[in-house]
C-alpha cells in the first residue's frame, strides 16, 4: 500500500458523494461546505486506517462519534454512510489490498458499533436534560404558585391602602388571642380608634391627601404601639389588640401612645394635616368575654369618646352600657307599646286658689310595660324626644286626653279643661295646627277646654315657625300655657307678644315657701303681679302642703297643682270628682 | 394556556402529560429532548403530514441561513421569540461563530423549554432566556433581562420563526408585530416563518389541524399574502416571502420541491 499521488481530489469526490447521501436524513446544522469539509477529514481517516497495519478499529469508533457529535444522528444517516462507504470508498480512493474487503468489513462494523453507542449515549443525555428541565420547571411553577397564593392570602387579609391587617385577619387574631388567654385568668384589651372628623381632611385637601394621611397615620400607629397588633377596620377606623394585659393601665398606656403618635404634626403633599382621634378602651379577663363582646364594647366606648368631643380615650363602663342598652330597648319598645295600647293617661287636678274649684286637669302619660310594670313619663319621654318617637306618642296623648275630656262635659256645667304637654318636635311639625283642629272637630271638645303646655325652651329654640303655630292654635281658641316658667330663660318679650294665657310656675319656687319672707316668695309675688299685668293667669306646680297653698293664695296666685290638691288619677276618678265636687 | 382563562397572578402549571410543540419540533429535528406523549403526537402528525420532519428541518435550515445573513449584514443583537427547545444550531451558535460578541435573547412560553434553555445556556456570554408569550410583546420588551441584554437604540433582529401559526387571528398577530416594530431602531430586521396552506388540499389541512388541536397550541395556517402583510413597515429582503427552502439556498438542489416544506418565510428590514 502507498499514498496515491492525487489523494486529495479523490477524497473530495467521495466526501461530496457522502454528503449527498446524508442529505435529508436529519437536520444538519451546518452549511453544505462545512459538512463536506468534515466528511473529507473523516474520509481521510477512513482511508488512512484501511491502509495502516495493524487495522485500528478505534478509529471506526472515533469517526462514528464525530458524526454523532456533528448532529448526524439518524438511523438513515448510519445506513447511508455504511452504504456509500462500502460502495464507493475503495473505488473512489483506489484502495487495493488482498485483505481489503475483510479490513473494510471490520472497520464498518466498528463504525456501526461506535455510531450506535454514541447515539445511545446522546439519546440518554438528552432524555436526562429534558427530564431535569421538566422537574426544574415543575419546581419553579410550584414556587410561583405558592408565592401567588401567599400574595393572594396577604391581599385577602390586609388592607390595600395601608397594608395593615384588615378586619378579617384581626378577627382571626382576636379569636385566637381570646382562646389562648382563656383558662389562665389572663387579661386582654382592645383600643377602638377613629380619627376625628376625618371627612374634613378629604374635603379640604382631596382624597389623595386623605389617603396619604391614612397611610401615615397607620405607620405612626403601628410604630407607637409595637408590638401590639394594629388593624384597619375600614375608613378611618383602626383597632389595636393588647394581649397579656396586666390591667386597665396597660391598655390606657397603649391608647395614650396611639393618641400621642397621631397628634404629631404631619405634612402631606405640603399640607399641614392635623388630626386627632378618639379611642374606646375595653380591658378584661379573657374568661369573662368573647371576641364579639370585646368588639362591641370597644365600639360603644369609642362612641362615648366621640360624643364627649373626641381627641380622648374613654374606658368601657359596664353600668353605663347596661343603662344605655336598657334605654335603647325601652325606646325601641315604644311603637309596639302604642300599638298594643300599653299607654294610658292619669290626670292631676289644677285647682282654683280662690274657691277650691276644679279648673282643669293635666294629662300625664303612663306606660304599663309588660315586663317593667307601670312607668312614669320621666322614664321614657326623654328617650321618645331623642328618637322622635315623641311625635306619635304625643299625638296619641293629645287625642286620648281630648277623647276622655269630652266625657266630663255632661257631668257638670263647668267641666274642667284638659292640659296636655307638647314637645318641641310636635310644635315644629307643620301639620300640628291641622291635627288639633281635626281632633277638636272629631271629639267635639270645645277649644277652650284644651290647654297646650309648652316649655320656654320650645319658644327659645325655634325661629318664626313655632310662634306662627302657637298663634294659629290660639286663634282656634285653644289655651296656651308656658310650663316650668322661671327655670329657663324666662324671656319677658315673648310673654308680651305671644297669645299665652297662663304661666305654670315651677315647683322649685313653691318649695321655697316653707320659710316665711323667703326670697322665693318675693320672686313669686313679683311673677304673679307681672303675669296679671300681662293678663295671664298663674298656676303654681308642686304644691304639697296647706301652708304653701295659703301663701300662694295670699300672693294672689290663681291656681295650684300638686299632691296637696290631688295626685294624678285615672279619668274615672276625675269624672267622679266632677260629679260629686269631692276632692280626689 | 391563554391569558383569558388564567388570572395574571396565577402561574402556569407544568403538564408533561400533554404534548408540547417545542418538544415535538425537537423530535422532528431528530432530538431526544421529548417525552412519550410528544413522540406520540408527532407520529400522529407525521401520519397526516409525512413531511413534518422535513418541514421542521427546512425551517431550521432557514433560520440558520437567515441568522447567517443577518450577521453578514452586521446585526449583532437577536430576539428569538418562540425559541423552543434549544437543540443544535441555535441562534447564538450561528451568530457567535462569526460575531463572538453577538447578543441573543431567547423567549418561549413553554416553561420546560425555558428551563432547558437556561441549563443549556448557563455560562454562555451574551445570551439570556425569558419565559414570556409572543401575545404579550409589551411584556417582552419591558422585561428587565431583555433590556439588560439588548440595546434597542441599535438594530435588533426579531425572529418569529415557526411560531405565528400558533397565534390565531383573534390574538391579532399583526398588532403584536407592530408593537415589536415600534420598539426597534432603523436597520433592525424581522424574520418570519410559518405554516402555510398554499397548495394543500382540504383533507390534509383538516387532519393536521386536528393533531395540533390536541396540543397546547392549535394551528393557524396562513397564505403568502397574509404572511407578506405581516412585514408591514419593513422592506422585504430578496427573495421576499417564499417557501423556506427557496430563501437564499446554498445549492440550487436545496430549493427543489420547496413547497413540500409547508413553511413560508422571509426577512424584512426596517428602513429609516
Amino acid at each position: 500500500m502507498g499514498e496515491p499521488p492525487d489523494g486529495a481530489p479523490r477524497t473530495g469526490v467521495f466526501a461530496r458523494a457522502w454528503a449527498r447521501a446524508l442529505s435529508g436524513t436529519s437536520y444538519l446544522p451546518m452549511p453544505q461546505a462545512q459538512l463536506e469539509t468534515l466528511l473529507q477529514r473523516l474520509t481521510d481517516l477512513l482511508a488512512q486506517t484501511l491502509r495502516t497495519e495493524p487495522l485500528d478499529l478505534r478509529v471506526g469508533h472515533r469517526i462514528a462519534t464525530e458524526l454523532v457529535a456533528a448532529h448526524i444522528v439518524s438511523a438513515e444517516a448510519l445506513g447511508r454512510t455504511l452504504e456509500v462507504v462500502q460502495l464507493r470508498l475503495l473505488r473512489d480512493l483506489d484502495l487495493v489490498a488482498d485483505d481489503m474487503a475483510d479490513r473494510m468489513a471490520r472497520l464498518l462494523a466498528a463504525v456501526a458499533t461506535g455510531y450506535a453507542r454514541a447515539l445511545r449515549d446522546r439519546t440518554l443525555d438528552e432524555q436526562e436534560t429534558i427530564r431535569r428541565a421538566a422537574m426544574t420547571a415543575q419546581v419553579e411553577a410550584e414556587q410561583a404558585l405558592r408565592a401567588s397564593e401567599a400574595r393572594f392570602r396577604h391581599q385577602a387579609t390586609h388592607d390595600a391602602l395601608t397594608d395593615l391587617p384588615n378586619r378579617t385577619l384581626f378577627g382571626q387574631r382576636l379569636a385566637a388571642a381570646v382562646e389562648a388567654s382563656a383558662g389562665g385568668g389572663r387579661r386582654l384589651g382592645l383600643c377602638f380608634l377613629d380619627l376625628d372628623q376625618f371627612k374634613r381632611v378629604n374635603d379640604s385637601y382631596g382624597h389623595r391627601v386623605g389617603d396619604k394621611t391614612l397611610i401615615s397615620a397607620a405607620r405612626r400607629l403601628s410604630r407607637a404601639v409595637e408590638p401590639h397588633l394594629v388593624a384597619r377596620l375600614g375608613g378611618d377606623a383602626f383597632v389595636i389588640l393588647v394581649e397579656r394585659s396586666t390591667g386597665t393601665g396597660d391598655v390606657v398606656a397603649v391608647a395614650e401612645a396611639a393618641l400621642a403618635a397621631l397628634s404629631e404634626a404631619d405634612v402631606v403633599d405640603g399640607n399641614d394635616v392635623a388630626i386627632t382621634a378618639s379611642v374606646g378602651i375595653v380591658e378584661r379577663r379573657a374568661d369573662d368575654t368573647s371576641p364579639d363582646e370585646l368588639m362591641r364594647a370597644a365600639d360603644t366606648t369609642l362612641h362615648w369618646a366621640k360624643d364627649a368631643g373626641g381627641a380622648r380615650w374613654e374606658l368601657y363602663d359596664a353600668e353605663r352600657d347596661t343603662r344605655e342598652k336598657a334605654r335603647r330597648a325601652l325606646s325601641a319598645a315604644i311603637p309596639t307599646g302604642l300599638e298594643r295600647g300599653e299607654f294610658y293617661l292619669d290626670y292631676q287636678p289644677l285647682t282654683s286658689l280662690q274657691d277650691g274649684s276644679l279648673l282643669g286637669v293635666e294629662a300625664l302619660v303612663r306606660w304599663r310595660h309588660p315586663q317593667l310594670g307601670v312607668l312614669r313619663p320621666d322614664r321614657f319621654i326623654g328617650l321618645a324626644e331623642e328618637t322622635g318617637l315623641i311625635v306619635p306618642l304625643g299625638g296619641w296623648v293629645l287625642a286620648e286626653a281630648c277623647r276622655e275630656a269630652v266625657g266630663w262635659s255632661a257631668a257638670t256645667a263647668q267641666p274642667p279643661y284638659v292640659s296636655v304637654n307638647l314637645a318641641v318636635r310636635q310644635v315644629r311639625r307643620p301639620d300640628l295646627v291641622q291635627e288639633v283642629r281635626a281632633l277638636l272637630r272629631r271629639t267635639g271638645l270645645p277649644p277652650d277646654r284644651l290647654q297646650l303646655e309648652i316649655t320656654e325652651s320650645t319658644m327659645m329654640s325655634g325661629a318664626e315657625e313655632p310662634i306662627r303655630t302657637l298663634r294659629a292654635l290660639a286663634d282656634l281658641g285653644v289655651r296656651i300655657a308656658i310650663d316650668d316658667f322661671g327655670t329657663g330663660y324666662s324671656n319677658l318679650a315673648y310673654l308680651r307678644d305671644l297669645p299665652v294665657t297662663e304661666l305654670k310656675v315651677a315647683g322649685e319656687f313653691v318649695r321655697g315657701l316653707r320659710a316665711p319672707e323667703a326670697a322665693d316668695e318675693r320672686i313669686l309675688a313679683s311673677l304673679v303681679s307681672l303675669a296679671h299685668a300681662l293678663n295671664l293667669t298663674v298656676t303654681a306646680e308642686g304644691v304639697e302642703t296647706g301652708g304653701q297653698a295659703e301663701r300662694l293664695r295670699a300672693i294672689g296666685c290663681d291656681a295650684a297643682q300638686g299632691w296637696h290638691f290631688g295626685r294624678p288619677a285615672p279619668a274615672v276618678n276625675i269624672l267622679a270628682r266632677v260629679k260629686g265636687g269631692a276632692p280626689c | 394556556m391563554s391569558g383569558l382563562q388564567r388570572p395574571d397572578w396565577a402561574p402556569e402549571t407544568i403538564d408533561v402529560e400533554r404534548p408540547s410543540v417545542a418538544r415535538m419540533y425537537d423530535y422532528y429535528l431528530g432530538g431526544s429532548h421529548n417525552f412519550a406523549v410528544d413522540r406520540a403526537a408527532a407520529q400522529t402528525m407525521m401520519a397526516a403530514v409525512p413531511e413534518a420532519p422535513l418541514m421542521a428541518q427546512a425551517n431550521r435550515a432557514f433560520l440558520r441561513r437567515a441568522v447567517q445573513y443577518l450577521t453578514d449584514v452586521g446585526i449583532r443583537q437577536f430576539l428569538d421569540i418562540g425559541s423552543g427547545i434549544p437543540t443544535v444550531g441555535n441562534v447564538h451558535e450561528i451568530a457567535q461563530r462569526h460575531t463572538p460578541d453577538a447578543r441573543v435573547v431567547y423567549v418561549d412560553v413553554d416553561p420546560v423549554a425555558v428551563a432547558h434553555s437556561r441549563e443549556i445556556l448557563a455560562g454562555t456570554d451574551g445570551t439570556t432566556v425569558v419565559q414570556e408569550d409572543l401575545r404579550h410583546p409589551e411584556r417582552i420588551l419591558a422585561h428587565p433581562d431583555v433590556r439588560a441584554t439588548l440595546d434597542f437604540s441599535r438594530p435588533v433582529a426579531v425572529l418569529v420563526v415557526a411560531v405565528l401559526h400558533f397565534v390565531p387571528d383573534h390574538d391579532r398577530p399583526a398588532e403584536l408585530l407592530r408593537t415589536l416594530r415600534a420598539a426597534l431602531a432603523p436597520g433592525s430586521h424581522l424574520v418570519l416563518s410559518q405554516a402555510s396552506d398554499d397548495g394543500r388540499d382540504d383533507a390534509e389541512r383538516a387532519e393536521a389541524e386536528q393533531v395540533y388541536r390536541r396540543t397546547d397550541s392549535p394551528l393557524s395556517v396562513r397564505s403568502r399574502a397574509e404572511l407578506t402583510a405581516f412585514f408591514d413597515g419593513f422592506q422585504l429582503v430578496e427573495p421576499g416571502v417564499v417557501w423556506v427552502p427557496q430563501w437564499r439556498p446554498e445549492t440550487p438542489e436545496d430549493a427543489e420541491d420547496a413547497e413540500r416544506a409547508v413553511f413560508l418565510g422571509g426577512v424584512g428590514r426596517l428602513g429609516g
Side-chain angles (χ1 to χ4, degrees), chain A residues 106-119:
Chain A
R106 289 167 63 208
L107 182 59
L108 280 182
V111 168
T113 305
Y115 193 91
R117 202 180 279 162
L119 195 54

Side-chain angles (χ1 to χ4, degrees), chain B residues 66-115:
Chain B
V67 171
Q68 185 63 59
Y69 166 82
L70 292 166
T71 36
D72 288 349
V73 299
I75 298 292
R76 293 161 174 271
Q77 307 191 92
F78 297 85
L79 177 58
D80 184 359
I81 304 176
S83 47
I85 299 288
T87 42
V88 281
N90 279 305
V91 173
H92 75 276
E93 288 172 355
I94 305 160
Q96 289 182 348
R97 191 177 301 137
H98 295 107
T99 312
D101 61 346
R103 308 180 77 75
V104 182
V105 174
Y106 293 101
V107 180
D108 206 282
V109 72
D110 181 339
V112 178
V114 168

Side-chain angles (χ1 to χ4, degrees), chain A residues 49 51 58 81 97 106 116 133 145 177 184 236 427 472 494 505 556 563 575:
Chain A
T49 306
R51 285 190 200 105
R58 286 171 306 177
T81 294
R106 289 167 63 208
L145 183 65
D236 51 7
V427 179
Y494 70 73
V505 179
W563 289 7
L575 186 60

Side-chain angles (χ1 to χ4, degrees), chain A residues 348-367:
Chain A
Q348 188 169 34
L350 305 171
T351 307
S352 165
L353 285 172
Q354 261 64 57
D355 59 8
S357 65
L358 182 66
L359 298 174
V361 291
E362 180 179 351
L364 297 165
V365 64
R366 309 288 189 240
W367 183 357

Side-chain angles (χ1 to χ4, degrees), chain A residues 27 31-32 126-127 132 148, chain B residues 9 32 34 60 116 119 250:
Chain A
Y27 170 64
Q32 191 71 19
E126 291 188 349
Q127 281 282 293
R132 201 159 50 227
S148 76
Chain B
W9 55 264
S32 303
N34 44 69
R60 194 75 177 164
H116 191 251
E119 188 175 323
E250 284 169 3

Side-chain angles (χ1 to χ4, degrees), chain B residues 91-176:
Chain B
V91 173
H92 75 276
E93 288 172 355
I94 305 160
Q96 289 182 348
R97 191 177 301 137
H98 295 107
T99 312
D101 61 346
R103 308 180 77 75
V104 182
V105 174
Y106 293 101
V107 180
D108 206 282
V109 72
D110 181 339
V112 178
V114 168
H116 191 251
S117 307
R118 290 214 172 102
E119 188 175 323
I120 298 284
L121 297 171
T124 307
D125 286 343
T127 65
T128 193
V129 188
V130 169
Q131 187 182 340
E132 201 39 89
D133 193 331
L134 170 60
R135 279 168 288 206
H136 297 294
E138 69 293 339
R139 287 196 211 155
I140 295 173
L141 293 167
H143 197 289
D145 291 352
V146 174
R147 302 219 79 94
T149 309
L150 302 180
D151 173 4
F152 283 93
S153 68
R154 312 196 54 183
V156 173
V158 175
L159 315 177
V160 183
V161 173
V163 185
L164 273 177
H165 43 257
F166 298 125
V167 180
D169 289 346
H170 65 71
D171 279 334
R172 300 165 182 268
E175 224 166 89
L176 307 179

Side-chain angles (χ1 to χ4, degrees), chain A residues 27-173:
Chain A
Y27 170 64
L28 304 177
M30 65 190 93
Q32 191 71 19
Q34 200 183 330
L35 176 66
E36 283 176 17
T37 308
L38 167 71
L39 294 179
Q40 190 152 352
R41 190 164 54 74
L42 296 183
T43 304
D44 286 340
L45 261 178
L46 279 170
Q48 195 182 347
T49 306
L50 285 170
R51 285 190 200 105
T52 307
E53 196 68 49
L55 183 68
D56 186 357
L57 294 178
R58 286 171 306 177
V59 177
H61 296 159
R62 207 173 87 213
I63 288 168
T65 307
E66 284 209 36
L67 286 171
V68 171
H71 200 67
I72 299 167
V73 285
S74 64
E76 290 78 8
L78 174 62
R80 300 256 184 95
T81 294
L82 297 181
E83 187 181 21
V84 78
V85 171
Q86 175 79 46
L87 281 178
R88 294 192 58 161
L89 185 69
L90 300 183
R91 195 184 64 211
D92 285 359
L93 269 65
D94 205 12
L95 293 169
V96 185
D98 291 345
D99 59 348
M100 199 46 93
D102 177 70
R103 295 170 70 88
M104 177 61 98
R106 289 167 63 208
L107 182 59
L108 280 182
V111 168
T113 305
Y115 193 91
R117 202 180 279 162
L119 195 54
R120 179 162 177 272
D121 286 351
R122 184 188 171 95
T123 302
L124 291 174
D125 285 351
E126 291 188 349
Q127 281 282 293
E128 196 176 319
T129 60
I130 193 68
R131 264 174 219 292
R132 201 159 50 227
M135 273 193 304
T136 305
Q138 187 77 52
V139 168
E140 280 171 0
E142 277 162 14
Q143 279 168 350
L145 183 65
R146 272 198 296 278
S148 76
E149 277 169 356
R151 205 161 49 241
F152 193 63
R153 262 202 307 281
H154 186 87
Q155 282 167 3
T157 54
H158 287 74
D159 168 47
L161 181 68
T162 61
D163 206 37
L164 285 180
N166 64 10
R167 186 182 286 273
T168 307
L169 181 56
F170 185 80
Q172 291 166 2
R173 293 281 177 82

